[in-house]
Amino acid sequence: MTDQYKNDRLAKLQALQQIGLDPYGQRTQQLEYTTVLHNRLSELGLQPGELRTDQHGRVAGRIILLRDMGKLAFLTLRDRHGDLQVGLSAKMLQTNWSVVKNLDLGDWIAVEGLLGKTKTGEDTLWGEQLTFLCKALQPPPEKWHGLTDVDLRYRRRYVDLFANPEVRQVFQQRSQIIQAVRDCLLARQFMEVETPVLQPIYGGAAARPFTTHHNTLDMQLYLRISPELYLKRLLVGGLERVFEFAKNFRNEGISPRHNPEFTMLELYQAYGDYHDMMDICEAMVTAAIERIGGGLVRPYGEMTIDYTPPWPRRKYADLLKEYAGVEIDDITAIRAKAAELSIEHHGLDDALVINLLFEHTVEPQLVQPTFVIDYPAPLCPLTRRHPDNPDIALRFELYVARMELGNAYTELNDPQVQEANFRQQLRGEGDETMAVMDEDFVMALEYGMPPAGGLGVGIDRLVMLLTNSTSIRDVILFPLQRPVE
């Protein structure tokens, strides 16, 4: 933006002040949304060119279109629900007309007036009173075609939201999705809770944490990578069904599917198992779809996803055999296949090699919602083992559109086995390693945690899928970005 643009707007701001107006407005009440006025006009059934002197409306919003025609001006106001044309004339506004000459694109105003239609049949609010609410010193994107530079859109999300209505709709749907999931769980007698974000010991997942220092206590703390171990403590305390929309932080890479700060739903149900978690998972996702509309068969990129339940339950070992052509217990064949596919595997634990091969060969095939069940036990230190085969963990991951959406366990509640698993991790064995022993969590289990099922669902990824957004940054209001040089 050139200095001249800003200087012009500053001059208009001063002109408003000189005629006694506050260019930054005041409290404004008894407003109606643009959609409400459109609905009223539809019910009135007005003809083109008709004006109803007995029908008043009052609306506020940002000016996104402005046509000055001398003694007449037409502008379009945008609020959070949509757009509405406003007609302004010197005859109807009288003393307010001087304000019109100092309006710019991007300014916020409120208008009260009469409902009607123009000669071309467009819904219009004919202004009788104009209230100035805020002067915009920065102009909106040129010609109001929206912000098109992707990096700039994320950095200036505040512009992206008002310039691109489809972006605003994504975040409105995000709110609806979260509320639908919350309502689904509350209806099942779950209790929403909050657990610490600052933790002295991080755990519950395999991830590198962000570290910080508390000055008063002179201690190192971590931003949580998962709320899991605290939520399980609540099961010990007798809160039998709990959930949390948790902000998690992982000091790792950024990609279309990963942001260092993200939102995870985690829930735990006493006396349940991973089969209960599958049922809840289907119920939550279908409830979210019902809330935002669009049907259970919906697009995602170039794919078409059918969310009609029930979703297939496929065993990890069966999928590995089908798509990699190897038996899960034939580690020689597995390593040979990994070498054939140029998967680096030397020096890695057998279970890690199996999972790398799975990720390479199976995950690209999982387009439709699929529960992958019964994982190799070494990958799952917090999970109960299969009663008939201790090499298998009672765990599932939910895949949709080739990406992981959810992760669930039949939870491990044996404190002795849990302590042994933690100590194995401290030796660097297994995938989900933690840096230190969480002795308090083991002690909590010693007080007795009921058998339970637990589930984690990536909310950002769920919103991506249901709004057909192919980048996680399109569903996070302010994604992390590299500083501008």
Side-chain angles (χ1 to χ4, degrees):
M1 186 193 74
T2 65
D3 289 340
Q4 185 58 48
Y5 281 124
K6 188 168 183 177
N7 289 338
D8 289 346
R9 288 171 176 258
L10 286 170
K12 290 181 178 180
L13 180 145
Q14 292 172 357
L16 291 170
Q17 291 172 325
Q18 288 170 1
I19 61 176
L21 286 184
D22 178 358
Y24 294 104
Q26 58 194 337
R27 183 183 184 189
T28 303
Q29 296 179 285
Q30 298 176 330
L31 296 171
E32 298 174 275
Y33 291 123
T34 54
T35 48
V36 172
L37 295 183
H38 280 299
N39 290 338
R40 284 176 56 194
L41 281 159
S42 177
E43 292 169 0
L44 289 170
L46 303 185
Q47 298 300 311
E50 186 176 355
L51 177 68
R52 287 288 295 268
T53 58
D54 61 337
Q55 294 290 329
H56 288 74
R58 183 172 171 81
V59 68
R62 185 189 291 272
I63 301 173
I64 64 164
L65 186 65
L66 178 59
R67 291 175 291 156
D68 188 342
M69 304 164 68
K71 295 296 184 179
L72 183 66
F74 286 97
L75 55 87
T76 300
L77 282 189
R78 175 170 292 167
D79 66 12
R80 66 173 181 156
H81 289 286
D83 300 345
L84 179 69
Q85 177 169 277
V86 172
L88 302 174
S89 70
K91 181 179 179 180
M92 292 181 70
L93 282 178
Q94 297 181 6
T95 57
N96 262 169
W97 184 246
S98 60
V99 178
V100 176
K101 297 303 179 180
N102 290 293
L103 295 178
D104 281 307
L105 291 178
D107 288 351
W108 293 82
I109 62 172
V111 178
E112 182 176 355
L114 305 177
L115 297 181
K117 285 184 179 289
T118 60
K119 292 180 180 180
T120 59
E122 184 169 355
D123 290 351
T124 302
L125 176 67
W126 289 96
E128 294 182 307
Q129 184 68 37
L130 188 153
T131 304
F132 206 92
L133 299 177
C134 183
K135 187 66 183 174
L137 299 182
Q138 295 276 0
E142 185 178 1
K143 296 183 181 179
W144 210 263
H145 287 166
L147 215 53
T148 56
D149 181 277
V150 174
D151 182 74
L152 194 59
R153 283 181 51 221
Y154 298 144
R155 293 186 189 279
R156 299 183 186 172
R157 181 70 86 187
Y158 41 87
V159 178
D160 192 27
L161 286 167
F162 71 73
N164 298 318
E166 67 278 7
V167 172
R168 186 170 65 250
Q169 183 182 28
V170 166
F171 290 103
Q172 289 169 335
Q173 290 181 324
R174 179 186 174 108
S175 177
Q176 293 172 320
I177 289 167
I178 291 173
Q179 190 58 47
V181 170
R182 175 180 282 113
D183 291 344
C184 180
L185 292 174
L186 293 174
R188 290 172 177 253
Q189 305 302 308
F190 279 81
M191 173 182 176
E192 186 169 6
V193 297
E194 296 173 295
T195 61
V197 174
L198 283 176
Q199 301 179 351
I201 299 173
Y202 64 94
R208 181 181 301 162
F210 288 92
T211 60
T212 186
H213 186 81
H214 190 282
N215 293 332
T216 301
L217 297 179
D218 191 22
M219 64 183 294
Q220 181 167 276
L221 294 169
Y222 306 93
L223 293 179
R224 70 175 167 206
I225 60 173
S226 167
E228 178 170 343
L229 302 186
Y230 282 92
L231 290 172
K232 287 181 177 178
R233 286 171 168 93
L234 299 182
L235 293 182
V236 174
L239 303 182
E240 297 173 353
R241 297 189 180 200
V242 294
F243 73 95
E244 180 173 13
F245 288 99
K247 280 290 188 182
N248 292 342
F249 305 84
R250 298 183 182 179
N251 197 353
E252 297 172 346
I254 297 175
S255 78
R257 297 182 179 183
H258 298 88
N259 192 67
E261 177 184 353
F262 61 98
T263 303
M264 178 73 71
L265 166 71
E266 288 216 16
L267 62 95
Y268 293 87
Q269 177 179 326
Y271 321 122
D273 65 7
Y274 72 154
H275 294 288
D276 296 293
M277 298 301 104
M278 292 184 216
D279 294 339
I280 290 174
C281 200
E282 288 177 339
M284 291 190 306
V285 173
T286 53
I289 291 173
E290 290 175 2
R291 185 68 59 90
I292 65 173
L296 292 172
V297 180
R298 47 203 307 127
Y300 184 70
E302 298 179 351
M303 297 172 276
T304 298
I305 310 297
D306 186 352
Y307 291 94
T308 305
W311 302 335
R313 276 80 161 153
R314 298 293 309 278
K315 291 185 177 181
Y316 186 103
D318 292 345
L319 288 168
L320 192 68
K321 183 177 181 180
E322 179 177 346
Y323 292 110
V326 294
E327 299 286 349
I328 197 169
D329 55 0
D330 188 348
I331 192 60
T332 301
I334 286 170
R335 288 188 178 273
K337 188 68 176 181
E340 177 188 329
L341 297 175
S342 300
I343 299 172
E344 181 55 49
H345 64 283
H346 297 290
L348 296 179
D349 180 79
D350 289 346
L352 292 181
V353 179
I354 292 170
N355 204 49
L356 287 173
L357 184 60
F358 183 91
E359 291 173 352
H360 190 90
T361 61
V362 179
E363 288 186 11
Q365 310 300 323
L366 302 177
V367 174
Q368 300 305 320
T370 304
F371 293 113
V372 178
I373 67 173
D374 299 348
Y375 272 64
L379 297 174
C380 318
L382 300 171
T383 312
R384 180 173 287 195
R385 294 341 187 210
H386 196 289
D388 299 325
N389 185 351
D391 293 330
I392 293 176
L394 299 176
R395 171 188 183 181
F396 77 72
E397 287 192 355
L398 170 62
Y399 284 87
V400 184
R402 305 188 182 103
M403 70 178 169
E404 178 197 345
L405 178 60
N407 185 22
Y409 305 152
T410 297
E411 301 297 338
L412 176 62
N413 63 342
D414 183 329
Q416 294 177 316
V417 174
Q418 183 64 82
E419 183 175 14
N421 287 350
F422 278 165
R423 296 199 181 282
Q424 184 181 51
Q425 289 177 325
L426 293 177
R427 294 197 299 271
E429 302 173 25
D431 184 24
E432 298 183 1
T433 57
M434 286 174 277
V436 291
M437 165 69 73
D438 193 337
E439 294 179 350
D440 181 77
F441 178 67
V442 174
M443 178 183 291
L445 293 184
E446 289 177 344
Y447 279 95
M449 186 184 92
L455 169 66
V457 173
I459 292 298
D460 306 307
R461 290 187 178 184
L462 177 60
V463 176
M464 286 174 61
L465 288 164
L466 298 190
T467 61
N468 195 13
S469 303
T470 54
S471 171
I472 196 170
R473 289 189 281 182
D474 289 332
V475 300
I476 295 175
L477 280 168
F478 300 101
L480 186 65
Q481 303 226 208
R482 189 185 302 276
V484 177
E485 293 295 336

